[in-house]
Amino acid sequence: MVGKLAGVAVALAAGFVLPAYAASIETLFGPYMSPGTEIAASTEANFSGLVTPRWTTWETPNWTGAIKPETEADLQNIVKIAKANNISFLATNGGHGAGICYGTISGIDINLSNFNSVSIDVANNELTIGAGVKIGDIIQPLYDAGKAVPHGNTDCVGMIGATLGAGIGIGTGIYGLGIDSLKSVRLVTASGDLVTASRTSHPELFWAIRGAGANFGIVASAKFQLQDQVNNGNVVRGAYTFPGSANRSVFELYKSFDDFIPPELSLQLGISYSRATGTSQIALTYFYFGPLSGVQPYLDAAAALGPTTNSTSILTQPALYNSLQNGECTIGSPISGGTLGLGKTDVPTLQAVFAELVAFNVANPTTYVGQSVFQRYDNKLTLQTPSYETVYPWRDIKTFWLHLNFYLSPALEEPAANLTKSMRAKLQATSGFATPHVYVNYAYGDEGPAAWWSLKNLPKLVVLKALWDPKKLFGKANPVSGC
Ligand SMILES: Cc1cc2nc3c(=O)[nH]c(=O)nc-3n(C[C@H](O)[C@H](O)[C@H](O)COP(=O)(O)OP(=O)(O)OC[C@H]3O[C@@H](n4cnc5c(N)ncnc54)[C@H](O)[C@@H]3O)c2cc1C
Ligand SMILES: *[C@@H]1O[C@H](CO)[C@@H](O)[C@H](O)[C@H]1NC(C)=O
Ligand SMILES: *[C@@H]1O[C@H](CO)[C@@H](O)[C@H](O)[C@H]1NC(C)=O
Ligand SMILES: *[C@@H]1O[C@H](CO)[C@@H](O)[C@H](O)[C@H]1NC(C)=O
Ligand SMILES: *[C@@H]1O[C@H](CO)[C@@H](O)[C@H](O)[C@H]1NC(C)=O
Ligand SMILES: *[C@@H]1O[C@H](CO)[C@@H](O)[C@H](O)[C@H]1NC(C)=O
Ligand SMILES: *[C@@H]1O[C@H](CO)[C@@H](O)[C@H](O)[C@H]1NC(C)=O
Ligand SMILES: *[C@@H]1O[C@H](CO)[C@@H](O)[C@H](O)[C@H]1NC(C)=O
C-alpha cells in the first residue's frame, strides 16, 4: 500500500502523464488501486456490470469508463491520477440525480457501492455510514436501535447524496434537515487529501458541504447525530384520492396548513391525469409520526371533502418506507423533472398549473404521463438553525413542488421541459418569494447557483470553491459556476 502511494507520487512528480489515447483506463489506474478494485472502459463488455442504468435516461452522463474502488486510498489515487491526466469523473451511488447538467458530463463513473458500511453507536448517539449507503440501508438498523436521523423518502436514493443538498423528507418536521444532523464528513478533496470537515475542523468547508457538498470532493463517510425515534417508530398514513373536479376544496384544505402544521405531520398533494378513467385526479396523503388520535381531526377534514378512495394505516417505519419506494426505485426510464420552493399556497395558481398539466396529458394520449407533487414539510425546527450555519439557504420553504414528466417519445422531451418551465413560472409568481428558492437536489438545472444557494451566499461559496477545487473536478451535476 505504501509502495503504491509512493508510486503515484513519483509518477506525478516526474510528470508521468500518459496521453489518454495511449493508455487504457486499466493501465492508468489499475497499478495504484487495491486488489479488489474493478475497472472497465465503456467499450468493454464487462462495463455494464459496473454501471447500471440511472434512475432516468434523460440527460445522462456519457461515461468513458467506470471504476469501483474499495478503499479511501483508492479514492485518493483516483482523484490524483484523473487530475494529472485531465480525465473528468463523477462519483455516483444511488444514481437518482437528474437535471440538464448531468447531460453535459463526459468521463469516468466512480461507483461508490463498495463503501456500504452502516455503524450505529448508541452510547454516543452517532451513526456513521459509507459513501455507498442507500437510504433503505439505514432504516431497519435505526428502527431496531430505537434511533432516528433525518433522511429522504426513497430507499434506493443515496443517503449521502441526498444529505449533501439538504436532506428533506416526511420526517423533516420532527427530525429536521439531514444537514442539521450531520456532525462530520471524511472528504477526498481535489488535492487527493483526505480531510475531516466538521464544525471544528475546516468549519468553512463544512459550511459549504452542507448544501453544496458534491462540489467539494468525494465524501467517503459521514457521521450523523442520532435522535430518539418517536412514537415507537410507528407512522400513521392516511391516503385520499379525489376527483379532479374537487380541486378547489382540496387545494383550500392544503392551503389551510400554510400558517401551522404539526411537526409530526407532513402532506403530499399529487395532481395527475388518469388514463384509465380519462379524468383528472388528486391524491392527498398524510404522514404522521405520532398516535392516530393526534392526526384524526386532520384526517376527518380530508374525509369530509368526499374522497373517491380512502385508507388509513399505522405502519412501522420500515414498512412505511418499503411502501414508498414503489415505482421510485425503478431505473432506466425517460423521466424529466423540475422543482420550486414555495413560501405559501395560492389556490388559483394551483388550479392553473393543474389545468395546464391535465391539458398536456390529454394532448399527448399515448406518449406522456406527468404528475406533480406538493410536499408540505413543517419548517419550524429547520428555522431554529441560523441561516449562516450552512450554505443551504432555503429554510423558509414550506412546500417543495416536484414535477415529473414520464415521456415515451423522444419528440416529447422538449415540449415536456417547456411544460415544466411554464408551470414553474406560474408557481414562482405567487410563491411568496421574490427570487426562486430551488432545492438543488430536485433542480431541473437551468435555475443557476443563486437559485440553489442564494445570492447572499454565492461570494463565500465561490471563494471556497476556488480554494478547495480550483480545477472544478467536482460537482459537475450542479456546479457552483453553473453548467
Ligand atoms: C425518486 C426520487 C426520490 C427522491 N426523494 C428525495 C427525498 O425524499 N429527499 C431528498 O432530499 N432528496 C430526494 N431525491 C433527490 C436526491 O436527493 C438527489 O437526486 C441525490 O443527488 C441523489 O443521490 P444519489 O446518490 O442517489 O444519486 P447519484 O446520481 O449517484 O449522485 C447524485 C449527485 O450526488 C453526488 N454524490 C453522491 N454521493 C456522493 C458522495 N459520497 N460524495 C460526494 N458527492 C456525492 C454525485 O457526484 C452527484 O453529483 C429524490 C430523487 C429521486 C429521483
Ligand atoms: C474488464 O475487461 C478488461 C479487458 O478484458 C479487463 O482488463 C478488466 O480487468 C475487466 N474489468 C472487470 C471489472 O472485470
Ligand atoms: C455499482 O456497481 C454495482 C454492481 O457492481 C451495481 O449494482 C450498481 O448499480 C452500480 N452503481 C451505479 C450507480 O451504477
Ligand atoms: C460520448 O463520448 C464519446 C467519447 O468522447 C464520443 O465519441 C461520443 O460521441 C459521445 N456520445 C454522446 C452521445 O455524446
Ligand atoms: C482537458 O480536457 C478538456 C475536456 O475534455 C479539454 O477541453 C482541455 O483542453 C484539456 N486540457 C488539457 C490541459 O489537456
Ligand atoms: C377544477 O375544478 C373545476 C370545478 O369543478 C373544474 O371545472 C376543472 O376542470 C377542474 N380542473 C381540473 C384540472 O380538473
Ligand atoms: C372510506 O372507504 C370505505 C371503503 O373502503 C368506505 O366505506 C367509507 O365510507 C370511506 N370513508 C370516507 C370518509 O370516504
Ligand atoms: C420550448 O420553448 C422554447 C423557448 O420558449 C421555444 O423556442 C421552443 O419552440 C419550445 N418548444 C416547443 C416544442 O414547444
Side-chain angles (χ1 to χ4, degrees), residues 150-230:
H151 58 71
N153 302 335
T154 304
D155 278 5
C156 44
V157 168
M159 178 61 187
I160 289 178
T163 303
L164 294 178
I168 58 167
I170 57 173
T172 295
I174 194 99
Y175 298 128
L177 296 175
I179 46 172
D180 292 341
S181 283
L182 193 61
K183 289 185 82 172
S184 65
V185 297
R186 285 168 69 83
L187 182 76
V188 176
T189 66
S191 59
D193 292 328
L194 185 62
V195 305
T196 296
S198 69
R199 286 189 184 81
T200 51
S201 171
H202 302 297
E204 301 214 308
L205 177 61
F206 193 53
W207 172 86
I209 294 285
R210 289 173 292 168
N215 264 279
F216 287 85
I218 303 172
V219 173
S221 68
K223 191 176 282 183
F224 293 85
Q225 175 75 44
L226 287 175
Q227 304 179 37
D228 288 336
Q229 183 173 268
V230 298

Side-chain angles (χ1 to χ4, degrees), residues 249-270:
S249 55
V250 179
F251 295 166
E252 290 286 0
L253 176 63
Y254 184 84
K255 180 184 168 61
S256 73
F257 291 93
D258 273 8
D259 291 336
F260 176 78
I261 185 168
E264 298 86 352
L265 182 60
S266 71
L267 306 176
Q268 309 262 337
L269 174 72

